[in-house]
Amino acid sequence: MKYYLRRFTFYVITLWAAISINFLLPRLMPGNAQDIFVAKLLRRGGEITPAMMNSIEAIFGRDDASLWEQYLQYWGNLFKGDFGISITRYPVPVVELIAAALPWTIVLVGLATIISFVVGVGLGAWVGWHRGTWADGIVPFSTLFQSVPYFWIALILIAVFSVNLGIFPIIGGYSLREFPAGPEMSWDFIKSAAYHGILPALTIVISSFGGWLLGMRNMMVSTLAEDYVVTAEAKGLRPSRVAMTYATRNAALPSIAGFGITLGFVVAGSIVMEQVFTYPGIGKLMINAVNENDFALMQGVFLVITITVLAANFIMDLIYGFIDPRARQNV
């Protein structure tokens, strides 16, 4: 119980610090951040309406309000689920923009991450069990793809399968020609979205499964030298039982912990990949917010990513403490 209480306290403090930093970032800009932003908006031909001015004040705070009052108001808005209004897509609330982009990232990046984890860990366990054979040749082949920047892999896949062969679309998350009014819940739309997501998902799998494979292979080799594995083999147990029950089960623990952290970052998306494929996920939303100086949108995306990463790590700490009692012994 002491272990779980300490982990819970740690993540509560971390969440408070992250939210506080998120509040302070626009207010730590040199000069008067609000005046600078308004001047940029006017230079681009924008019009400052009273409603838009209220949104700007919600981001940067009113001139007559103290920093403490702004901080309390910021927390109050968060508890109400109010992240403010997007300046670049006024008057759309930030929550609606994030809610529209989040499913794309979770489905695509989440499934691709799970696939790369399963493939990498499975192959790594098999290569580790057959150490010293031709199977070790898979390791340098897989790490080669990991060392190559994944946006290069994305560009190569586009050049081969989209430009030259014309098999897959180049950009987008669905066919704008078939669905000009936007996403809709239908079987045709799901097929279109899956078709457009093949190359982005393949990019993630190719560029990431090598890390899981190498880590699992090394842990498998180390675990096979442990006394309990040697004893199991000396007792004459079936090789399949030794491999799965004694070796793979224990060797996979570090990979499971790492998978929890990686899964938490799924919400952040693959920013460069989404930009290359013009995929309508959180990563592309973040890039657009940065390019347009949309502070409310940047704060909202950053906050969602932070909360998701912390929640994933907290859940994995609980699971890891349950499956490995050694994690609780030093507390």
Side-chain angles (χ1 to χ4, degrees):
M1 181 60 68
K2 185 178 179 181
Y3 168 81
Y4 298 112
L5 182 61
R6 287 189 59 179
R7 302 313 298 167
F8 177 77
T9 304
F10 168 78
Y11 283 108
V12 168
I13 295 175
T14 305
L15 178 61
W16 166 80
I19 293 176
S20 299
I21 293 174
N22 196 37
F23 162 79
L24 290 172
L25 282 178
R27 294 163 177 82
L28 293 178
M29 293 177 60
N32 190 317
Q34 179 174 326
D35 293 342
I36 294 174
F37 179 78
V38 171
K40 287 183 178 180
L41 193 60
L42 291 175
R43 283 198 300 268
R44 289 162 50 185
E47 180 182 357
I48 306 298
T49 63
M52 183 176 290
M53 196 64 200
N54 291 334
S55 300
I56 296 174
E57 289 179 351
I59 301 172
F60 297 99
R62 303 189 314 273
D63 295 333
D64 58 345
S66 65
L67 187 63
W68 176 248
E69 291 174 339
Q70 296 175 28
Y71 184 66
L72 293 179
Q73 182 183 3
Y74 178 75
W75 273 96
N77 291 335
L78 289 184
F79 282 121
K80 293 186 295 184
D82 182 9
F83 292 171
I85 304 296
S86 172
I87 300 298
T88 55
R89 302 189 186 182
Y90 181 85
V92 181
V94 170
V95 174
E96 292 186 10
L97 294 176
I98 295 177
L102 199 56
W104 293 95
T105 294
I106 291 178
V107 172
L108 174 68
V109 184
L111 288 177
T113 302
I114 294 174
I115 292 173
S116 64
F117 172 78
V118 173
V119 172
V121 171
L123 279 177
W126 182 79
V127 172
W129 179 252
H130 296 86
R131 62 199 182 283
T133 65
W134 65 269
D136 282 335
I138 300 177
V139 176
F141 176 75
S142 63
T143 53
L144 173 64
F145 289 108
Q146 184 187 12
S147 61
V148 176
Y150 65 88
F151 63 87
W152 282 11
I153 297 177
L155 293 175
I156 292 174
L157 292 177
I158 290 175
V160 174
F161 294 101
S162 298
V163 178
N164 293 331
L165 300 179
I167 300 176
F168 297 106
I170 298 177
I171 61 173
Y174 58 93
S175 174
L176 294 176
R177 181 177 300 176
E178 296 179 15
F179 306 96
E184 61 181 49
M185 290 303 298
S186 65
W187 178 244
D188 291 335
F189 177 79
I190 294 176
K191 291 192 294 183
S192 177
Y195 178 60
H196 281 71
I198 290 177
L199 286 188
L202 191 60
T203 300
I204 298 173
V205 173
I206 291 176
S207 61
S208 60
F209 87 97
W212 297 115
L213 189 153
L214 179 62
M216 184 61 185
R217 187 264 177 195
N218 293 338
M219 284 302 303
M220 192 72 173
V221 171
S222 177
T223 303
L224 288 173
E226 295 290 340
D227 293 338
Y228 57 86
V229 177
V230 176
T231 302
E233 291 176 333
K235 286 182 177 181
L237 297 179
R238 295 192 309 273
S240 59
R241 183 179 178 185
V242 175
M244 296 301 300
T245 305
Y246 291 89
T248 303
R249 181 179 177 182
N250 291 279
L253 290 177
S255 296
I256 293 175
F259 176 69
I261 298 174
T262 304
L263 205 59
F265 280 99
V266 162
V267 174
S270 296
I271 295 179
V272 179
M273 182 276 296
E274 292 184 7
Q275 186 68 12
V276 170
F277 288 98
T278 318
Y279 197 79
I282 288 291
K284 189 173 186 302
L285 190 65
M286 171 64 86
I287 290 180
N288 292 339
V290 172
N291 291 337
E292 299 294 337
N293 292 327
D294 195 337
F295 293 101
L297 187 55
M298 281 190 286
Q299 283 182 300
V301 173
F302 172 77
L303 187 59
V304 169
I305 293 174
T306 301
I307 292 176
T308 306
V309 171
L310 291 177
N313 280 270
F314 177 64
I315 293 174
M316 288 309 303
D317 274 353
L318 298 181
I319 296 176
Y320 199 78
F322 176 75
I323 63 178
D324 188 2
R326 294 173 298 181
R328 307 192 301 266
Q329 291 176 356
N330 297 326
V331 179

PDB file of all heavy atoms in Angstrom, residues 108-131:
ATOM      1  N   LEU A 108      -4.845   5.400 -35.246  1.00  0.00           N
ATOM      2  CA  LEU A 108      -3.708   5.113 -36.121  1.00  0.00           C
ATOM      3  C   LEU A 108      -2.445   4.804 -35.322  1.00  0.00           C
ATOM      4  O   LEU A 108      -1.868   3.718 -35.434  1.00  0.00           O
ATOM      5  CB  LEU A 108      -3.449   6.290 -37.058  1.00  0.00           C
ATOM      6  CG  LEU A 108      -2.181   6.154 -37.914  1.00  0.00           C
ATOM      7  CD1 LEU A 108      -2.342   5.039 -38.934  1.00  0.00           C
ATOM      8  CD2 LEU A 108      -1.838   7.457 -38.602  1.00  0.00           C
ATOM      9  N   VAL A 109      -1.999   5.775 -34.510  1.00  0.00           N
ATOM     10  CA  VAL A 109      -0.740   5.606 -33.782  1.00  0.00           C
ATOM     11  C   VAL A 109      -0.862   4.520 -32.722  1.00  0.00           C
ATOM     12  O   VAL A 109       0.085   3.770 -32.477  1.00  0.00           O
ATOM     13  CB  VAL A 109      -0.310   6.948 -33.155  1.00  0.00           C
ATOM     14  CG1 VAL A 109       1.045   6.819 -32.469  1.00  0.00           C
ATOM     15  CG2 VAL A 109      -0.250   8.039 -34.211  1.00  0.00           C
ATOM     16  N   GLY A 110      -2.045   4.416 -32.094  1.00  0.00           N
ATOM     17  CA  GLY A 110      -2.234   3.388 -31.080  1.00  0.00           C
ATOM     18  C   GLY A 110      -2.126   1.989 -31.655  1.00  0.00           C
ATOM     19  O   GLY A 110      -1.392   1.142 -31.141  1.00  0.00           O
ATOM     20  N   LEU A 111      -2.853   1.725 -32.740  1.00  0.00           N
ATOM     21  CA  LEU A 111      -2.790   0.399 -33.354  1.00  0.00           C
ATOM     22  C   LEU A 111      -1.399   0.102 -33.898  1.00  0.00           C
ATOM     23  O   LEU A 111      -0.888  -1.022 -33.753  1.00  0.00           O
ATOM     24  CB  LEU A 111      -3.824   0.300 -34.472  1.00  0.00           C
ATOM     25  CG  LEU A 111      -5.285   0.216 -34.035  1.00  0.00           C
ATOM     26  CD1 LEU A 111      -6.206   0.183 -35.252  1.00  0.00           C
ATOM     27  CD2 LEU A 111      -5.523  -1.024 -33.175  1.00  0.00           C
ATOM     28  N   ALA A 112      -0.769   1.097 -34.525  1.00  0.00           N
ATOM     29  CA  ALA A 112       0.571   0.879 -35.065  1.00  0.00           C
ATOM     30  C   ALA A 112       1.578   0.607 -33.947  1.00  0.00           C
ATOM     31  O   ALA A 112       2.478  -0.239 -34.101  1.00  0.00           O
ATOM     32  CB  ALA A 112       1.009   2.098 -35.877  1.00  0.00           C
ATOM     33  N   THR A 113       1.445   1.287 -32.822  1.00  0.00           N
ATOM     34  CA  THR A 113       2.342   1.053 -31.693  1.00  0.00           C
ATOM     35  C   THR A 113       2.151  -0.338 -31.113  1.00  0.00           C
ATOM     36  O   THR A 113       3.127  -1.031 -30.776  1.00  0.00           O
ATOM     37  CB  THR A 113       2.103   2.113 -30.598  1.00  0.00           C
ATOM     38  OG1 THR A 113       2.315   3.423 -31.148  1.00  0.00           O
ATOM     39  CG2 THR A 113       3.051   1.910 -29.426  1.00  0.00           C
ATOM     40  N   ILE A 114       0.901  -0.766 -30.982  1.00  0.00           N
ATOM     41  CA  ILE A 114       0.630  -2.111 -30.461  1.00  0.00           C
ATOM     42  C   ILE A 114       1.180  -3.171 -31.414  1.00  0.00           C
ATOM     43  O   ILE A 114       1.795  -4.155 -30.975  1.00  0.00           O
ATOM     44  CB  ILE A 114      -0.882  -2.300 -30.243  1.00  0.00           C
ATOM     45  CG1 ILE A 114      -1.375  -1.373 -29.122  1.00  0.00           C
ATOM     46  CG2 ILE A 114      -1.199  -3.757 -29.910  1.00  0.00           C
ATOM     47  CD1 ILE A 114      -2.881  -1.385 -28.945  1.00  0.00           C
ATOM     48  N   ILE A 115       0.996  -2.977 -32.707  1.00  0.00           N
ATOM     49  CA  ILE A 115       1.498  -3.945 -33.679  1.00  0.00           C
ATOM     50  C   ILE A 115       3.019  -4.028 -33.621  1.00  0.00           C
ATOM     51  O   ILE A 115       3.606  -5.123 -33.618  1.00  0.00           O
ATOM     52  CB  ILE A 115       1.023  -3.575 -35.097  1.00  0.00           C
ATOM     53  CG1 ILE A 115      -0.490  -3.763 -35.212  1.00  0.00           C
ATOM     54  CG2 ILE A 115       1.742  -4.416 -36.159  1.00  0.00           C
ATOM     55  CD1 ILE A 115      -1.067  -3.256 -36.514  1.00  0.00           C
ATOM     56  N   SER A 116       3.684  -2.868 -33.595  1.00  0.00           N
ATOM     57  CA  SER A 116       5.148  -2.868 -33.542  1.00  0.00           C
ATOM     58  C   SER A 116       5.655  -3.501 -32.254  1.00  0.00           C
ATOM     59  O   SER A 116       6.674  -4.204 -32.255  1.00  0.00           O
ATOM     60  CB  SER A 116       5.682  -1.443 -33.673  1.00  0.00           C
ATOM     61  OG  SER A 116       5.286  -0.641 -32.571  1.00  0.00           O
ATOM     62  N   PHE A 117       4.943  -3.297 -31.140  1.00  0.00           N
ATOM     63  CA  PHE A 117       5.339  -3.910 -29.871  1.00  0.00           C
ATOM     64  C   PHE A 117       5.207  -5.425 -29.931  1.00  0.00           C
ATOM     65  O   PHE A 117       6.123  -6.163 -29.552  1.00  0.00           O
ATOM     66  CB  PHE A 117       4.487  -3.343 -28.734  1.00  0.00           C
ATOM     67  CG  PHE A 117       4.675  -4.039 -27.412  1.00  0.00           C
ATOM     68  CD1 PHE A 117       5.783  -3.770 -26.632  1.00  0.00           C
ATOM     69  CD2 PHE A 117       3.743  -4.970 -26.950  1.00  0.00           C
ATOM     70  CE1 PHE A 117       5.970  -4.409 -25.418  1.00  0.00           C
ATOM     71  CE2 PHE A 117       3.915  -5.611 -25.747  1.00  0.00           C
ATOM     72  CZ  PHE A 117       5.034  -5.328 -24.974  1.00  0.00           C
ATOM     73  N   VAL A 118       4.063  -5.909 -30.404  1.00  0.00           N
ATOM     74  CA  VAL A 118       3.833  -7.354 -30.478  1.00  0.00           C
ATOM     75  C   VAL A 118       4.831  -8.018 -31.423  1.00  0.00           C
ATOM     76  O   VAL A 118       5.442  -9.050 -31.095  1.00  0.00           O
ATOM     77  CB  VAL A 118       2.385  -7.648 -30.917  1.00  0.00           C
ATOM     78  CG1 VAL A 118       2.187  -9.128 -31.170  1.00  0.00           C
ATOM     79  CG2 VAL A 118       1.404  -7.157 -29.859  1.00  0.00           C
ATOM     80  N   VAL A 119       5.027  -7.415 -32.594  1.00  0.00           N
ATOM     81  CA  VAL A 119       5.963  -7.984 -33.568  1.00  0.00           C
ATOM     82  C   VAL A 119       7.383  -7.940 -33.029  1.00  0.00           C
ATOM     83  O   VAL A 119       8.136  -8.931 -33.106  1.00  0.00           O
ATOM     84  CB  VAL A 119       5.861  -7.228 -34.905  1.00  0.00           C
ATOM     85  CG1 VAL A 119       6.970  -7.672 -35.857  1.00  0.00           C
ATOM     86  CG2 VAL A 119       4.511  -7.454 -35.544  1.00  0.00           C
ATOM     87  N   GLY A 120       7.784  -6.804 -32.466  1.00  0.00           N
ATOM     88  CA  GLY A 120       9.155  -6.662 -31.977  1.00  0.00           C
ATOM     89  C   GLY A 120       9.460  -7.586 -30.810  1.00  0.00           C
ATOM     90  O   GLY A 120      10.494  -8.267 -30.792  1.00  0.00           O
ATOM     91  N   VAL A 121       8.565  -7.619 -29.812  1.00  0.00           N
ATOM     92  CA  VAL A 121       8.790  -8.476 -28.644  1.00  0.00           C
ATOM     93  C   VAL A 121       8.717  -9.950 -29.028  1.00  0.00           C
ATOM     94  O   VAL A 121       9.519 -10.779 -28.558  1.00  0.00           O
ATOM     95  CB  VAL A 121       7.782  -8.137 -27.533  1.00  0.00           C
ATOM     96  CG1 VAL A 121       7.847  -9.168 -26.407  1.00  0.00           C
ATOM     97  CG2 VAL A 121       8.046  -6.753 -26.984  1.00  0.00           C
ATOM     98  N   GLY A 122       7.765 -10.303 -29.875  1.00  0.00           N
ATOM     99  CA  GLY A 122       7.653 -11.695 -30.305  1.00  0.00           C
ATOM    100  C   GLY A 122       8.889 -12.159 -31.058  1.00  0.00           C
ATOM    101  O   GLY A 122       9.447 -13.234 -30.768  1.00  0.00           O
ATOM    102  N   LEU A 123       9.338 -11.360 -32.029  1.00  0.00           N
ATOM    103  CA  LEU A 123      10.546 -11.718 -32.770  1.00  0.00           C
ATOM    104  C   LEU A 123      11.775 -11.694 -31.876  1.00  0.00           C
ATOM    105  O   LEU A 123      12.676 -12.540 -32.007  1.00  0.00           O
ATOM    106  CB  LEU A 123      10.737 -10.759 -33.949  1.00  0.00           C
ATOM    107  CG  LEU A 123       9.934 -11.036 -35.209  1.00  0.00           C
ATOM    108  CD1 LEU A 123      10.182  -9.955 -36.246  1.00  0.00           C
ATOM    109  CD2 LEU A 123      10.273 -12.401 -35.786  1.00  0.00           C
ATOM    110  N   GLY A 124      11.806 -10.713 -30.945  1.00  0.00           N
ATOM    111  CA  GLY A 124      12.955 -10.629 -30.041  1.00  0.00           C
ATOM    112  C   GLY A 124      13.075 -11.847 -29.148  1.00  0.00           C
ATOM    113  O   GLY A 124      14.177 -12.360 -28.910  1.00  0.00           O
ATOM    114  N   ALA A 125      11.941 -12.340 -28.650  1.00  0.00           N
ATOM    115  CA  ALA A 125      11.958 -13.553 -27.826  1.00  0.00           C
ATOM    116  C   ALA A 125      12.407 -14.759 -28.648  1.00  0.00           C
ATOM    117  O   ALA A 125      13.192 -15.594 -28.170  1.00  0.00           O
ATOM    118  CB  ALA A 125      10.580 -13.795 -27.229  1.00  0.00           C
ATOM    119  N   TRP A 126      11.939 -14.835 -29.890  1.00  0.00           N
ATOM    120  CA  TRP A 126      12.320 -15.965 -30.741  1.00  0.00           C
ATOM    121  C   TRP A 126      13.803 -15.910 -31.107  1.00  0.00           C
ATOM    122  O   TRP A 126      14.506 -16.935 -31.067  1.00  0.00           O
ATOM    123  CB  TRP A 126      11.458 -15.941 -32.003  1.00  0.00           C
ATOM    124  CG  TRP A 126      11.729 -17.090 -32.928  1.00  0.00           C
ATOM    125  CD1 TRP A 126      11.281 -18.369 -32.806  1.00  0.00           C
ATOM    126  CD2 TRP A 126      12.516 -17.046 -34.127  1.00  0.00           C
ATOM    127  NE1 TRP A 126      11.745 -19.140 -33.856  1.00  0.00           N
ATOM    128  CE2 TRP A 126      12.499 -18.344 -34.673  1.00  0.00           C
ATOM    129  CE3 TRP A 126      13.219 -16.039 -34.779  1.00  0.00           C
ATOM    130  CZ2 TRP A 126      13.171 -18.653 -35.852  1.00  0.00           C
ATOM    131  CZ3 TRP A 126      13.889 -16.347 -35.958  1.00  0.00           C
ATOM    132  CH2 TRP A 126      13.853 -17.643 -36.472  1.00  0.00           C
ATOM    133  N   VAL A 127      14.296 -14.717 -31.445  1.00  0.00           N
ATOM    134  CA  VAL A 127      15.713 -14.570 -31.788  1.00  0.00           C
ATOM    135  C   VAL A 127      16.589 -14.851 -30.569  1.00  0.00           C
ATOM    136  O   VAL A 127      17.638 -15.508 -30.676  1.00  0.00           O
ATOM    137  CB  VAL A 127      15.988 -13.154 -32.345  1.00  0.00           C
ATOM    138  CG1 VAL A 127      17.489 -12.918 -32.510  1.00  0.00           C
ATOM    139  CG2 VAL A 127      15.289 -12.964 -33.681  1.00  0.00           C
ATOM    140  N   GLY A 128      16.167 -14.373 -29.388  1.00  0.00           N
ATOM    141  CA  GLY A 128      16.936 -14.635 -28.174  1.00  0.00           C
ATOM    142  C   GLY A 128      16.989 -16.106 -27.822  1.00  0.00           C
ATOM    143  O   GLY A 128      18.009 -16.613 -27.342  1.00  0.00           O
ATOM    144  N   TRP A 129      15.884 -16.828 -28.039  1.00  0.00           N
ATOM    145  CA  TRP A 129      15.851 -18.267 -27.751  1.00  0.00           C
ATOM    146  C   TRP A 129      16.768 -19.026 -28.712  1.00  0.00           C
ATOM    147  O   TRP A 129      17.397 -20.019 -28.336  1.00  0.00           O
ATOM    148  CB  TRP A 129      14.421 -18.761 -27.864  1.00  0.00           C
ATOM    149  CG  TRP A 129      14.267 -20.232 -27.608  1.00  0.00           C
ATOM    150  CD1 TRP A 129      14.005 -21.202 -28.523  1.00  0.00           C
ATOM    151  CD2 TRP A 129      14.366 -20.909 -26.352  1.00  0.00           C
ATOM    152  NE1 TRP A 129      13.929 -22.427 -27.935  1.00  0.00           N
ATOM    153  CE2 TRP A 129      14.143 -22.280 -26.583  1.00  0.00           C
ATOM    154  CE3 TRP A 129      14.605 -20.477 -25.042  1.00  0.00           C
ATOM    155  CZ2 TRP A 129      14.166 -23.234 -25.567  1.00  0.00           C
ATOM    156  CZ3 TRP A 129      14.623 -21.424 -24.036  1.00  0.00           C
ATOM    157  CH2 TRP A 129      14.410 -22.779 -24.294  1.00  0.00           C
ATOM    158  N   HIS A 130      16.848 -18.534 -29.971  1.00  0.00           N
ATOM    159  CA  HIS A 130      17.722 -19.160 -30.969  1.00  0.00           C
ATOM    160  C   HIS A 130      19.016 -18.358 -31.125  1.00  0.00           C
ATOM    161  O   HIS A 130      19.524 -18.174 -32.239  1.00  0.00           O
ATOM    162  CB  HIS A 130      17.000 -19.261 -32.317  1.00  0.00           C
ATOM    163  CG  HIS A 130      15.800 -20.149 -32.303  1.00  0.00           C
ATOM    164  ND1 HIS A 130      14.546 -19.706 -31.926  1.00  0.00           N
ATOM    165  CD2 HIS A 130      15.657 -21.469 -32.617  1.00  0.00           C
ATOM    166  CE1 HIS A 130      13.682 -20.701 -32.010  1.00  0.00           C
ATOM    167  NE2 HIS A 130      14.325 -21.789 -32.419  1.00  0.00           N
ATOM    168  N   ARG A 131      19.545 -17.878 -30.031  1.00  0.00           N
ATOM    169  CA  ARG A 131      20.787 -17.092 -30.045  1.00  0.00           C
ATOM    170  C   ARG A 131      21.933 -17.913 -30.635  1.00  0.00           C
ATOM    171  O   ARG A 131      21.999 -19.135 -30.471  1.00  0.00           O
ATOM    172  CB  ARG A 131      21.143 -16.651 -28.622  1.00  0.00           C
ATOM    173  CG  ARG A 131      21.414 -17.812 -27.689  1.00  0.00           C
ATOM    174  CD  ARG A 131      21.305 -17.386 -26.240  1.00  0.00           C
ATOM    175  NE  ARG A 131      21.615 -18.494 -25.324  1.00  0.00           N
ATOM    176  CZ  ARG A 131      20.780 -19.486 -25.046  1.00  0.00           C
ATOM    177  NH1 ARG A 131      19.594 -19.525 -25.629  1.00  0.00           N
ATOM    178  NH2 ARG A 131      21.135 -20.448 -24.195  1.00  0.00           N
TER     179      ARG A 131
END
